[in-house]
Amino acid sequence: RVLFRSYVVGMDGYTKTHTDQDVAARGLAYDETPKMLILINNQPINIVVYGGVQWPTLPLSKHDIDRIEVVRGPSSAMYGADAQVGVVNIITLAASERKNSASVVYGERGNQIYEIGLAHHTEDGLGIAVRGSFTRTEKKGDAETAEAVLAAPNYGIKDWADIYSLTYRLDYAQGDVTFSSEGGVSSDEEGYNASAGDRSIDLSEKRTIYVNNQAKIPVGRGEVGIRVGFRDIWQENRRWDNGSYIFKYELQKSRGLDLDVQYTLATLANHDLIVGGSASRFLGSRDIANTPPYLYDEEDNLLSVYAQDQIAFADRRVILTLSGRYDKWSNFDGEFTPRATLNVDLYEKKANLRLMAGTSFRRPSFDESYYFVRFPGGWLKGSQVSATTENGNAIGGVAPGPEKLTAYEVGLRLHPDERTYIDVETFRNTIKSNLGLVVLHATANELNLAITNIGDRITLSGAEIEVKHDFSPDAKAFLNYTYQRGTIKGNSNIKETWLGAPRNKLSGGVSYSGTVTADVRFRYVGKVTYPEIDFDPVDDYWTLDVALSKQVGEHVHVKLSVINALDRARYEYPIYTQITRKLLLDLGYTF
């Protein structure tokens, strides 16, 4: 269920377990990656309780994906909170572009995927498609298996999951008016340690429901887009005790309703204008059976307005794009995020120069607003407003604010001939108002910690180089290289090296489409020390992935792929799963 690996220049992708992955941009990635906004057809699917995305239960099939749009760099000026370091927007196929299909995947260590999809469209503009799937990652079993030990020797994680998913897509077009509705429900049961810090958790149950309705209506010289979206993301973890599963904790990770209205104006006196607004309501809760318990029910409302003006000069060879957005929550002060980009075509469009400056941010998650740790004797206690020591002494709480990023980028794209693209990009990202732990109260026998905005300032500078070349219509190749260097400066004003991003990343590949389609890709990732787990760095590693596929007749498709073909065991995140070779056979049939 990995949608894409980190072959996109500037992107970071790593695997925590065989069922869970994370992505982020330009080294600013860590557990759950709340700095990255993930969308399905513009519908946010990030979790408000702790940020990040519940990847295993996305109601989504790779067979229904049209493309994946990736934006690197600050994107809050158009997308709002959590688009701090970039955006991934997964665009799905319209119902009329889908086919009746069935597929099975078999792989090493018990991997299995079964899918069936049905689609129908009529000449009067109506299309509908549905898909059901079952996925099993690794072999199932409550007792730890030899495969699980191999997969996760660090923490004895029982790394398997059974995932059920049902999705739909409905499209209707009448003249220039279009309407689409899509959504689905997905649930899974996972037999792995959902929290590496608490090895007593044996079973995790997750569920995701989402619905996304969109309409586009021509108005004057432009178009009005209306989107109404809903998401409900839930999880419950249990532990094995005295011969049966008992309650551990439950999270209403995110329940939200989104309304977006956007007006796009066609070119008017060299201006392409977009204006819009949105309203969202978020709900989240935790119920952890600790002593003392960690309980909260929280809600937040958001109102946003945004605008973007793309101004063309010199026969559209010079384009200036100005963007700005204002977001106001019921629980936080308002945030205004501007962004400006200048694109200049050079040498008869064989070269393009790009300059960008902008800001972005992420809002504190509900957990970060309530996080309070007490040692000894308990953890996760207190609230935004106040906390209480074991002896009943009140401690003033800490209300964190948004974490902010300022970025500058310079890019040059060269297109010397029809077969070659060369992109060179330099960037500088600075994060201030970082969210981190502070000491609220300390004695010889007690330590109280909470999350708030700390004075540390992280600056990440680097360069990206991407080369793509088409040897022929059937043979293509690419090569990407990213260099990143980070520094951190605290209240002491001492600048130190920051190791939270790999210094060097290199990836490349060759593909050939003929009687058999072959795709060979490699990547190298330098050593990295994630900020929250600085005692356990990830060593540098490289891997090789190979895929061979063939269309047999009109209806049958066969694909054989090997992830980590040379079986170089490695960790991509320090406290979870060791990644080893995985061989997969994919059989598909369309009818």
Side-chain angles (χ1 to χ4, degrees):
R1 296 175 68 83
V2 179
L3 297 181
F4 65 94
R5 301 182 67 80
S6 53
Y7 297 117
V8 178
V9 64
M11 291 294 295
D12 299 286
Y14 57 87
T15 302
K16 297 192 301 184
T17 72
H18 287 299
T19 61
D20 210 356
Q21 300 83 32
D22 277 314
V23 298
R26 293 175 174 165
L28 296 171
Y30 57 97
D31 196 14
E32 307 300 349
T33 56
K35 300 174 186 292
M36 196 86 184
L37 181 64
I38 311 298
L39 311 171
I40 300 179
N41 288 336
N42 300 314
Q43 166 67 41
I45 54 173
N46 288 57
I47 295 166
V48 298
V49 165
Y50 56 72
V53 174
Q54 188 166 281
W55 289 104
T57 58
L58 287 188
L60 187 68
S61 167
K62 66 179 182 180
H63 298 290
D64 296 332
I65 296 176
D66 179 27
R67 64 189 185 277
I68 299 176
E69 298 177 348
V70 177
V71 181
R72 302 184 303 276
S75 304
S76 294
M78 283 298 291
Y79 294 95
D82 304 328
Q84 187 177 23
V85 300
V87 176
V88 174
N89 193 9
I90 304 168
I91 309 297
T92 60
L93 293 166
S96 60
E97 299 173 302
R98 304 185 188 187
K99 299 179 180 179
N100 297 329
S101 64
S103 66
V104 296
V105 177
Y106 291 101
E108 289 185 290
R109 294 187 298 277
N111 283 267
Q112 304 169 42
I113 304 175
Y114 304 90
E115 294 194 38
I116 185 167
L118 302 175
H120 178 72
H121 57 92
T122 63
E123 294 182 356
D124 59 359
L126 177 65
I128 187 168
V130 295
R131 182 177 296 275
S133 69
F134 168 75
T135 301
R136 172 166 292 175
T137 65
E138 312 306 300
K139 292 183 178 179
K140 182 178 179 180
D142 292 332
E144 192 146 4
T145 64
E147 289 80 8
V149 173
L150 176 65
N154 272 9
Y155 282 82
I157 298 172
K158 302 173 181 65
D159 195 3
W160 59 265
D162 285 352
I163 305 169
Y164 299 87
S165 180
L166 179 63
T167 63
Y168 80 93
R169 170 78 183 234
L170 184 147
D171 296 288
Y172 180 70
Q174 188 66 44
D176 293 330
V177 177
T178 62
F179 170 79
S180 68
S181 177
E182 66 177 338
V185 56
S186 184
S187 67
D188 85 342
E189 182 179 276
E190 300 183 17
Y192 76 99
N193 187 339
S195 171
D198 185 353
R199 297 183 61 181
S200 64
I201 297 174
D202 291 296
L203 182 68
S204 178
E205 298 180 17
K206 299 178 181 179
R207 181 191 67 227
T208 298
I209 301 173
Y210 94 100
V211 177
N212 189 17
N213 300 305
Q214 300 188 66
K216 295 182 179 180
I217 306 168
V219 176
R221 298 187 60 180
E223 181 182 76
V224 172
I226 302 172
R227 191 186 67 80
V228 179
F230 172 78
R231 51 184 151 159
D232 186 349
I233 306 171
W234 171 90
Q235 177 177 346
E236 183 177 87
N237 288 352
R238 300 170 182 262
R239 65 169 178 252
W240 184 262
D241 190 27
N242 296 325
S244 62
Y245 280 115
I246 64 174
F247 175 75
K248 182 63 178 178
Y249 70 82
E250 182 177 2
L251 296 80
Q252 180 61 57
K253 288 185 172 181
S254 183
R255 178 175 292 165
L257 185 65
D258 306 294
L259 171 63
D260 299 328
V261 179
Q262 177 176 291
Y263 181 64
T264 304
L265 182 64
T267 300
L268 179 64
N270 294 322
H271 289 259
D272 293 319
L273 183 64
I274 298 174
V275 295
S278 62
S280 301
R281 180 178 177 82
F282 309 108
L283 304 172
S285 65
R286 268 196 189 268
D287 183 359
I288 298 182
N290 290 331
T291 304
Y294 180 39
L295 305 169
Y296 70 71
D297 289 289
E298 181 68 357
E299 67 179 55
D300 205 357
N301 300 313
L302 169 66
L303 292 175
S304 306
V305 291
Y306 58 89
Q308 176 175 290
D309 190 8
Q310 191 174 91
I311 311 168
F313 305 94
D315 253 350
R316 303 192 68 85
R317 295 185 63 179
V318 178
I319 296 179
L320 174 65
T321 304
L322 302 174
S323 310
R325 181 178 175 117
Y326 181 77
D327 296 278
K328 179 64 179 76
W329 293 271
S330 53
N331 293 339
F332 295 95
D333 293 335
E335 282 292 325
F336 174 70
T337 49
R339 173 175 166 142
T341 304
L342 180 68
N343 285 275
V344 182
D345 276 327
L346 306 171
Y347 304 114
E348 298 180 351
K349 300 188 177 181
K350 291 185 178 295
N352 179 273
L353 176 66
R354 175 180 173 272
L355 306 174
M356 189 281 292
T359 64
S360 61
F361 69 101
R362 76 175 181 96
R363 70 179 299 285
S365 67
F366 288 173
D367 268 6
E368 287 170 320
S369 297
Y370 280 85
Y371 197 88
F372 184 81
V373 184
R374 182 175 65 109
F375 296 108
W379 67 297
L380 294 172
K381 174 177 183 270
S383 72
Q384 282 183 320
V385 180
S386 64
T388 306
T389 68
E390 187 174 345
N391 298 324
N393 299 320
I395 302 172
V398 179
E403 185 180 80
K404 302 176 183 180
L405 178 144
T406 302
Y408 304 96
E409 300 177 7
V410 178
L412 180 64
R413 165 169 285 191
L414 302 176
H415 188 32
D417 56 60
E418 294 182 355
R419 296 185 175 184
T420 306
Y421 283 95
I422 303 172
D423 284 308
V424 180
E425 185 107 1
T426 62
F427 61 90
R428 180 181 176 88
N429 294 331
T430 301
I431 299 182
K432 57 184 180 179
S433 302
N434 286 291
L435 292 168
L437 286 170
V438 297
V439 177
L440 292 181
H441 172 74
T443 66
N445 300 314
E446 188 176 5
L447 175 65
N448 296 271
L449 304 173
I451 287 183
T452 189
N453 300 106
I454 58 178
D456 293 346
R457 177 173 295 202
I458 296 172
T459 300
L460 192 65
S461 303
E464 303 163 350
I465 302 174
E466 182 175 29
V467 180
K468 296 180 180 180
H469 182 73
D470 296 345
F471 295 100
S472 70
D474 298 325
K476 302 178 181 181
F478 74 93
L479 185 67
N480 298 330
Y481 173 68
T482 301
Y483 171 82
Q484 302 168 142
R485 184 178 184 275
T487 60
I488 183 170
K489 185 165 63 175
N491 290 325
S492 61
N493 216 31
I494 298 175
K495 184 182 293 187
E496 298 177 319
T497 299
W498 186 71
L499 303 175
R503 182 70 60 89
N504 295 286
K505 296 187 296 181
L506 178 68
S507 64
V510 177
S511 63
Y512 173 77
S513 300
T515 304
V516 174
T517 298
D519 196 350
V520 180
R521 303 190 181 194
F522 77 91
R523 60 176 173 154
Y524 168 82
V525 180
K527 183 177 180 179
V528 60
T529 302
Y530 290 101
E532 74 278 22
I533 317 174
D534 56 5
F535 61 86
D536 198 0
V538 175
D539 292 329
D540 64 328
Y541 66 87
W542 65 277
T543 184
L544 179 70
D545 301 334
V546 180
L548 301 173
S549 59
K550 180 176 176 59
Q551 185 72 30
V552 181
E554 184 179 351
H555 301 288
V556 177
H557 184 79
V558 181
K559 181 177 181 180
L560 180 67
S561 57
V562 187
I563 299 173
N564 194 17
L566 301 181
D567 205 18
R568 300 176 62 88
R570 68 185 190 280
Y571 291 96
E572 295 185 1
Y573 194 75
I575 62 174
Y576 286 105
T577 297
Q578 188 181 54
I579 306 302
T580 55
R581 184 194 66 202
K582 183 179 292 185
L583 176 66
L584 299 169
L585 175 62
D586 189 337
L587 303 174
Y589 179 76
T590 58
F591 56 95

